Amino acid sequence: NPKVFVVFGSLVYNNLVTILKNNTNHKVIYISSPSKIKGSNMFSEINTFLESKGIEPINWSLGKIRK
């Protein structure tokens, strides 16, 4: 089954890319720090990959947040 790996930090990224080098069934998304998630296109990148594999995209919306 296709998998998406979201990794933080270049060491983890480099190791994972080496392990999955020729495996197009998986995707590795690198983000330098968890604080950078908000400015990234990580969620749409994940959904684009899933759709390319014939998998339904994830609904990332949280809906209404109660105060």
Side-chain angles (χ1 to χ4, degrees):
N1 292 341
K3 293 177 181 48
V4 178
F5 300 90
V6 178
V7 297
F8 304 100
S10 59
L11 180 62
V12 174
Y13 173 77
N14 291 334
N15 288 331
L16 197 52
V17 167
T18 300
I19 292 167
L20 300 174
K21 188 176 179 180
N22 295 316
N23 191 331
T24 58
N25 206 35
H26 304 307
K27 179 162 186 72
V28 180
I29 298 173
Y30 168 74
I31 299 177
S32 60
S33 164
S35 65
K36 306 282 187 197
I37 290 175
K38 187 175 181 180
S40 77
N41 62 347
M42 174 186 75
F43 301 109
S44 61
E45 207 174 326
I46 291 169
N47 278 346
T48 299
F49 174 76
L50 293 175
E51 288 175 316
S52 78
K53 299 296 182 184
I55 299 170
E56 189 174 333
I58 298 168
N59 178 354
W60 296 100
S61 67
L62 297 175
K64 281 190 171 183
I65 298 175
R66 296 180 186 175
K67 293 184 178 182

Coordinates of all heavy atoms in Angstrom, one line a residue:
N1 N 0.8 -1.2 0.0 CA 0.0 0.0 0.0 C 0.9 1.3 0.0 O 1.8 1.3 0.7 CB -0.9 0.0 1.2 CG -1.9 -1.1 1.2 OD1 -2.2 -1.6 0.1 ND2 -2.5 -1.4 2.3
P2 N 0.5 2.3 -0.8 CA 1.3 3.5 -0.8 C 1.2 4.2 0.6 O 0.2 4.2 1.3 CB 0.5 4.4 -1.8 CG -0.3 3.4 -2.7 CD -0.6 2.3 -1.8
K3 N 2.3 4.8 0.9 CA 2.4 5.5 2.2 C 3.1 6.9 1.9 O 3.9 7.0 1.0 CB 3.3 4.7 3.2 CG 2.6 3.4 3.6 CD 3.5 2.6 4.5 CE 2.8 1.3 4.9 NZ 2.3 0.5 3.9
V4 N 2.7 7.8 2.8 CA 3.3 9.2 2.7 C 4.0 9.3 4.1 O 3.5 9.1 5.1 CB 2.3 10.3 2.6 CG1 3.0 11.7 2.6 CG2 1.5 10.1 1.3
F5 N 5.3 9.7 4.0 CA 6.1 10.0 5.2 C 6.4 11.5 5.3 O 6.9 12.1 4.3 CB 7.4 9.2 5.1 CG 7.3 7.8 5.0 CD1 7.2 7.1 3.8 CD2 7.3 7.0 6.2 CE1 7.1 5.7 3.7 CE2 7.1 5.6 6.1 CZ 7.1 5.0 4.9
V6 N 6.0 12.1 6.4 CA 6.3 13.5 6.6 C 7.4 13.5 7.7 O 7.2 13.0 8.8 CB 5.1 14.3 7.1 CG1 5.4 15.7 7.4 CG2 3.9 14.2 6.1
V7 N 8.5 14.1 7.3 CA 9.7 14.0 8.2 C 10.2 15.4 8.5 O 10.1 16.4 7.7 CB 10.8 13.2 7.6 CG1 10.4 11.7 7.4 CG2 11.3 13.7 6.3
F8 N 10.7 15.6 9.7 CA 11.3 16.8 10.2 C 12.7 16.6 10.4 O 13.1 15.7 11.2 CB 10.6 17.3 11.5 CG 9.1 17.4 11.3 CD1 8.3 16.4 11.8 CD2 8.5 18.5 10.7 CE1 6.9 16.5 11.6 CE2 7.2 18.6 10.6 CZ 6.3 17.6 11.0
G9 N 13.6 17.4 9.8 CA 15.0 17.3 10.0 C 15.7 16.6 8.8 O 15.2 15.6 8.3
S10 N 16.8 17.1 8.4 CA 17.5 16.6 7.2 C 18.1 15.2 7.4 O 18.1 14.4 6.4 CB 18.5 17.6 6.7 OG 19.5 17.8 7.7
L11 N 18.5 14.9 8.6 CA 19.1 13.5 8.8 C 18.1 12.4 8.5 O 18.3 11.5 7.8 CB 19.7 13.4 10.2 CG 20.3 12.1 10.5 CD1 21.5 11.8 9.6 CD2 20.8 12.1 12.0
V12 N 16.9 12.6 9.1 CA 15.8 11.6 8.9 C 15.4 11.6 7.4 O 15.3 10.5 6.9 CB 14.6 12.0 9.8 CG1 13.4 11.0 9.5 CG2 14.9 11.9 11.3
Y13 N 15.3 12.7 6.8 CA 14.9 12.8 5.4 C 15.9 12.1 4.5 O 15.5 11.2 3.7 CB 14.8 14.3 5.0 CG 14.6 14.4 3.5 CD1 13.3 14.2 2.9 CD2 15.6 14.8 2.7 CE1 13.1 14.3 1.6 CE2 15.4 14.9 1.3 CZ 14.2 14.7 0.8 OH 14.0 14.8 -0.6
N14 N 17.2 12.4 4.7 CA 18.2 11.7 3.9 C 18.2 10.2 4.1 O 18.4 9.5 3.1 CB 19.6 12.3 4.2 CG 19.7 13.7 3.8 OD1 19.1 14.2 2.9 ND2 20.6 14.5 4.4
N15 N 18.1 9.7 5.3 CA 18.0 8.3 5.5 C 16.8 7.6 4.9 O 16.9 6.6 4.3 CB 18.1 8.0 7.0 CG 19.4 8.2 7.6 OD1 20.5 8.1 7.0 ND2 19.4 8.6 8.9
L16 N 15.7 8.3 5.0 CA 14.5 7.7 4.5 C 14.5 7.7 2.9 O 14.1 6.7 2.3 CB 13.2 8.5 5.0 CG 11.9 7.8 4.8 CD1 11.9 6.4 5.4 CD2 10.8 8.6 5.5
V17 N 15.0 8.8 2.3 CA 15.1 8.8 0.9 C 16.0 7.7 0.4 O 15.8 7.1 -0.6 CB 15.5 10.2 0.4 CG1 16.0 10.2 -1.0 CG2 14.4 11.2 0.6
T18 N 17.1 7.5 1.1 CA 18.0 6.4 0.7 C 17.4 5.1 0.8 O 17.5 4.3 -0.2 CB 19.3 6.5 1.6 OG1 19.9 7.7 1.5 CG2 20.3 5.4 1.2
I19 N 16.6 4.8 1.8 CA 15.9 3.6 2.0 C 14.8 3.4 0.9 O 14.7 2.3 0.3 CB 15.2 3.5 3.4 CG1 16.3 3.4 4.4 CG2 14.3 2.3 3.5 CD1 15.8 3.6 5.9
L20 N 14.1 4.4 0.6 CA 13.0 4.3 -0.4 C 13.4 4.8 -1.8 O 12.5 5.0 -2.7 CB 11.8 5.2 0.1 CG 11.2 4.8 1.4 CD1 10.2 5.9 1.8 CD2 10.7 3.4 1.4
K21 N 14.7 4.8 -2.1 CA 15.3 5.4 -3.3 C 14.5 5.2 -4.6 O 14.1 6.1 -5.3 CB 16.7 4.9 -3.4 CG 17.5 5.5 -4.5 CD 18.9 5.0 -4.5 CE 19.7 5.6 -5.6 NZ 21.1 5.1 -5.5
N22 N 14.2 3.9 -4.9 CA 13.6 3.6 -6.2 C 12.1 3.1 -6.0 O 11.6 2.5 -6.9 CB 14.4 2.5 -6.9 CG 15.7 3.0 -7.3 OD1 15.8 4.1 -7.8 ND2 16.8 2.2 -7.1
N23 N 11.5 3.5 -4.9 CA 10.2 3.0 -4.6 C 9.2 4.2 -4.9 O 9.0 5.1 -4.0 CB 10.1 2.5 -3.1 CG 8.8 1.8 -2.9 OD1 7.8 2.1 -3.5 ND2 8.8 0.9 -1.9
T24 N 8.6 4.1 -6.0 CA 7.6 5.2 -6.4 C 6.2 5.0 -5.7 O 5.3 5.8 -5.9 CB 7.5 5.3 -7.9 OG1 7.0 4.0 -8.4 CG2 8.8 5.6 -8.5
N25 N 6.1 3.9 -5.0 CA 4.8 3.7 -4.3 C 4.7 4.5 -3.0 O 3.6 4.5 -2.4 CB 4.7 2.2 -4.0 CG 3.3 1.7 -3.9 OD1 2.4 2.2 -4.6 ND2 3.0 0.8 -3.0
H26 N 5.7 5.1 -2.6 CA 5.7 5.9 -1.4 C 6.2 7.3 -1.7 O 6.9 7.6 -2.7 CB 6.6 5.3 -0.3 CG 6.2 3.9 0.1 ND1 5.0 3.5 0.4 CD2 7.0 2.8 0.1 CE1 5.0 2.2 0.6 NE2 6.2 1.7 0.4
K27 N 5.8 8.3 -0.8 CA 6.3 9.7 -1.0 C 6.9 10.2 0.4 O 6.3 9.9 1.4 CB 5.1 10.6 -1.4 CG 5.5 12.0 -1.5 CD 4.5 12.8 -2.3 CE 4.9 14.2 -2.6 NZ 5.9 14.3 -3.6
V28 N 8.0 10.9 0.3 CA 8.6 11.5 1.4 C 8.5 13.0 1.3 O 8.9 13.6 0.3 CB 10.1 11.1 1.6 CG1 10.7 11.8 2.8 CG2 10.2 9.6 1.6
I29 N 7.9 13.6 2.3 CA 7.8 15.1 2.4 C 8.6 15.6 3.5 O 8.5 15.2 4.6 CB 6.3 15.5 2.6 CG1 5.4 15.1 1.4 CG2 6.2 17.0 2.8 CD1 4.0 15.3 1.6
Y30 N 9.5 16.5 3.2 CA 10.5 17.1 4.1 C 10.0 18.5 4.6 O 9.7 19.3 3.8 CB 11.8 17.2 3.5 CG 12.8 18.0 4.3 CD1 13.4 17.5 5.5 CD2 13.2 19.3 4.0 CE1 14.2 18.2 6.3 CE2 14.1 20.0 4.7 CZ 14.6 19.5 5.9 OH 15.5 20.2 6.6
I31 N 10.0 18.7 5.9 CA 9.7 20.0 6.5 C 10.8 20.2 7.5 O 11.0 19.3 8.3 CB 8.3 20.1 7.1 CG1 7.2 19.8 6.0 CG2 8.1 21.4 7.8 CD1 5.8 19.8 6.5
S32 N 11.4 21.3 7.4 CA 12.6 21.6 8.3 C 12.3 21.6 9.8 O 13.1 21.2 10.6 CB 13.3 22.9 7.9 OG 12.4 24.0 8.0
S33 N 11.0 22.1 10.1 CA 10.7 22.2 11.5 C 9.1 22.1 11.6 O 8.4 22.6 10.7 CB 11.1 23.5 12.0 OG 10.5 23.9 13.2
P34 N 8.6 21.5 12.7 CA 7.1 21.5 12.8 C 6.5 22.9 12.8 O 5.4 23.0 12.4 CB 7.0 20.9 14.2 CG 8.2 20.0 14.4 CD 9.3 20.8 13.8
S35 N 7.2 23.9 13.1 CA 6.7 25.3 13.1 C 6.5 25.7 11.6 O 5.8 26.7 11.4 CB 7.6 26.2 13.8 OG 8.9 26.3 13.1
K36 N 7.0 25.0 10.7 CA 6.9 25.4 9.3 C 5.6 24.8 8.6 O 5.4 25.0 7.4 CB 8.1 25.0 8.5 CG 9.4 25.5 9.0 CD 9.6 26.9 8.7 CE 11.0 27.3 9.1 NZ 11.2 28.7 9.2
I37 N 4.9 23.9 9.3 CA 3.8 23.2 8.7 C 2.8 24.2 8.2 O 2.2 24.1 7.1 CB 3.1 22.3 9.7 CG1 4.0 21.1 10.0 CG2 1.7 21.8 9.2 CD1 3.5 20.2 11.1
K38 N 2.5 25.3 8.9 CA 1.4 26.2 8.5 C 1.7 26.9 7.2 O 0.8 27.0 6.4 CB 1.3 27.3 9.6 CG 0.1 28.2 9.3 CD -0.1 29.2 10.5 CE -1.3 30.1 10.2 NZ -1.5 31.1 11.3
G39 N 3.0 27.2 6.9 CA 3.3 27.8 5.6 C 3.6 26.8 4.5 O 3.9 27.2 3.4
S40 N 3.4 25.5 4.8 CA 3.8 24.5 3.7 C 2.5 24.1 2.9 O 1.4 24.5 3.3 CB 4.4 23.3 4.4 OG 3.4 22.5 5.0
N41 N 2.7 23.5 1.8 CA 1.6 22.9 1.1 C 1.5 21.4 1.3 O 1.1 20.6 0.5 CB 1.8 23.2 -0.4 CG 3.0 22.6 -1.0 OD1 3.9 22.2 -0.3 ND2 3.1 22.6 -2.3
M42 N 2.0 21.0 2.5 CA 2.0 19.6 2.9 C 0.7 18.8 2.7 O 0.7 17.7 2.1 CB 2.5 19.4 4.3 CG 2.5 18.0 4.9 SD 2.9 17.9 6.6 CE 1.4 18.5 7.3
F43 N -0.4 19.4 3.1 CA -1.6 18.7 3.0 C -2.1 18.5 1.6 O -2.6 17.4 1.2 CB -2.7 19.5 3.8 CG -2.3 19.6 5.3 CD1 -1.9 20.9 5.8 CD2 -2.3 18.5 6.1 CE1 -1.5 21.0 7.1 CE2 -1.9 18.7 7.5 CZ -1.5 19.9 8.0
S44 N -2.0 19.5 0.8 CA -2.3 19.3 -0.6 C -1.4 18.4 -1.4 O -1.8 17.6 -2.2 CB -2.4 20.7 -1.4 OG -1.2 21.3 -1.4
E45 N -0.1 18.4 -1.0 CA 0.9 17.5 -1.6 C 0.5 16.0 -1.2 O 0.6 15.2 -2.1 CB 2.3 17.9 -1.0 CG 3.4 17.5 -1.9 CD 4.7 18.0 -1.4 OE1 4.8 19.1 -0.8 OE2 5.7 17.3 -1.7
I46 N 0.1 15.8 0.0 CA -0.3 14.5 0.4 C -1.5 14.0 -0.4 O -1.5 12.9 -1.0 CB -0.6 14.4 1.9 CG1 0.7 14.6 2.7 CG2 -1.3 13.1 2.3 CD1 0.5 14.8 4.2
N47 N -2.5 14.9 -0.5 CA -3.7 14.5 -1.2 C -3.4 14.3 -2.7 O -4.0 13.4 -3.3 CB -4.8 15.5 -1.0 CG -5.5 15.3 0.3 OD1 -5.4 14.3 0.9 ND2 -6.3 16.3 0.7
T48 N -2.6 15.1 -3.3 CA -2.3 14.9 -4.7 C -1.6 13.6 -4.9 O -1.9 12.8 -5.9 CB -1.3 16.0 -5.2 OG1 -2.0 17.3 -5.1 CG2 -0.9 15.8 -6.6
F49 N -0.7 13.2 -4.0 CA -0.1 11.9 -4.2 C -1.1 10.8 -4.0 O -1.1 9.8 -4.8 CB 1.1 11.7 -3.1 CG 1.7 10.4 -3.1 CD1 2.5 10.0 -4.1 CD2 1.3 9.5 -2.1 CE1 3.1 8.7 -4.0 CE2 1.9 8.2 -2.0 CZ 2.8 7.8 -3.0
L50 N -1.9 10.9 -3.0 CA -2.9 9.8 -2.7 C -3.8 9.6 -4.0 O -4.1 8.5 -4.4 CB -3.7 10.1 -1.5 CG -3.0 10.1 -0.2 CD1 -3.9 10.6 1.0 CD2 -2.4 8.7 0.1
E51 N -4.3 10.8 -4.5 CA -5.2 10.7 -5.7 C -4.4 10.1 -6.9 O -5.1 9.3 -7.6 CB -5.7 12.1 -6.0 CG -6.7 12.6 -5.0 CD -7.1 14.0 -5.3 OE1 -6.2 14.9 -5.6 OE2 -8.3 14.3 -5.3
S52 N -3.1 10.3 -7.0 CA -2.4 9.7 -8.1 C -2.3 8.2 -8.0 O -2.0 7.5 -9.0 CB -1.0 10.4 -8.2 OG -0.1 9.8 -7.2
K53 N -2.5 7.7 -6.8 CA -2.4 6.3 -6.5 C -3.8 5.7 -6.5 O -4.0 4.5 -6.1 CB -1.7 6.0 -5.2 CG -0.2 6.4 -5.2 CD 0.6 5.7 -6.3 CE 2.0 6.1 -6.3 NZ 2.8 5.5 -7.3
G54 N -4.9 6.5 -6.8 CA -6.2 6.0 -6.8 C -6.8 5.9 -5.4 O -7.8 5.2 -5.2
I55 N -6.3 6.7 -4.4 CA -6.8 6.6 -3.1 C -7.5 7.9 -2.8 O -7.1 9.0 -3.2 CB -5.6 6.5 -2.1 CG1 -4.9 5.2 -2.4 CG2 -6.1 6.5 -0.6 CD1 -3.6 5.0 -1.6
E56 N -8.6 7.8 -2.1 CA -9.4 9.0 -1.8 C -8.6 10.0 -0.9 O -7.9 9.6 0.0 CB -10.7 8.6 -1.0 CG -11.7 9.7 -0.8 CD -13.0 9.3 -0.2 OE1 -13.3 8.1 -0.4 OE2 -13.6 10.1 0.5
P57 N -8.6 11.3 -1.3 CA -7.9 12.3 -0.5 C -8.4 12.4 0.9 O -9.6 12.1 1.2 CB -8.0 13.6 -1.3 CG -9.3 13.4 -2.1 CD -9.4 11.9 -2.3
I58 N -7.6 12.9 1.8 CA -8.0 13.1 3.2 C -8.7 14.5 3.4 O -8.2 15.5 2.8 CB -6.7 13.1 4.1 CG1 -6.1 11.7 4.0 CG2 -7.1 13.4 5.6 CD1 -4.7 11.6 4.6
N59 N -9.7 14.5 4.1 CA -10.4 15.8 4.5 C -9.7 16.3 5.7 O -9.9 15.8 6.8 CB -11.9 15.6 4.7 CG -12.6 16.9 5.1 OD1 -12.0 17.9 5.3 ND2 -13.9 16.8 5.3
W60 N -8.9 17.4 5.5 CA -8.0 17.9 6.6 C -8.8 18.9 7.4 O -8.2 19.4 8.4 CB -6.8 18.5 6.0 CG -5.9 17.5 5.3 CD1 -5.8 17.3 4.0 CD2 -5.0 16.6 5.9 NE1 -4.9 16.3 3.7 CE2 -4.4 15.9 4.9 CE3 -4.6 16.3 7.3 CZ2 -3.4 14.9 5.2 CZ3 -3.7 15.3 7.5 CH2 -3.1 14.6 6.5
S61 N -10.0 19.3 7.0 CA -10.6 20.4 7.8 C -11.0 19.9 9.2 O -11.4 18.8 9.4 CB -11.9 20.9 7.0 OG -12.9 19.9 7.0
L62 N -10.9 20.8 10.1 CA -11.3 20.5 11.5 C -12.7 20.8 11.8 O -13.2 20.5 12.9 CB -10.4 21.3 12.4 CG -8.9 21.0 12.4 CD1 -8.1 21.9 13.2 CD2 -8.6 19.6 12.8
G63 N -13.4 21.5 10.8 CA -14.8 21.9 11.1 C -14.8 23.0 12.1 O -13.8 23.7 12.3
K64 N -15.9 23.3 12.7 CA -16.1 24.4 13.6 C -15.3 24.0 14.9 O -15.5 22.9 15.5 CB -17.5 24.7 13.9 CG -18.2 25.5 12.9 CD -19.5 26.0 13.4 CE -20.1 27.0 12.5 NZ -21.4 27.5 13.0
I65 N -14.6 24.9 15.4 CA -13.9 24.8 16.7 C -14.7 25.5 17.7 O -14.9 26.7 17.6 CB -12.5 25.3 16.6 CG1 -11.7 24.5 15.6 CG2 -11.8 25.2 18.0 CD1 -10.3 25.0 15.3
R66 N -15.1 24.8 18.8 CA -15.9 25.4 19.8 C -15.0 26.2 20.7 O -13.9 25.8 21.1 CB -16.6 24.4 20.6 CG -17.6 23.6 19.8 CD -18.3 22.6 20.7 NE -19.2 21.8 19.9 CZ -19.9 20.7 20.3 NH1 -19.7 20.4 21.5 NH2 -20.6 20.1 19.5
K67 N -15.5 27.3 21.2 CA -14.8 28.2 22.1 C -15.2 27.9 23.5 O -16.3 27.5 23.8 CB -14.9 29.7 21.8 CG -14.3 30.0 20.5 CD -14.4 31.5 20.2 CE -13.7 31.8 18.9 NZ -13.7 33.2 18.7

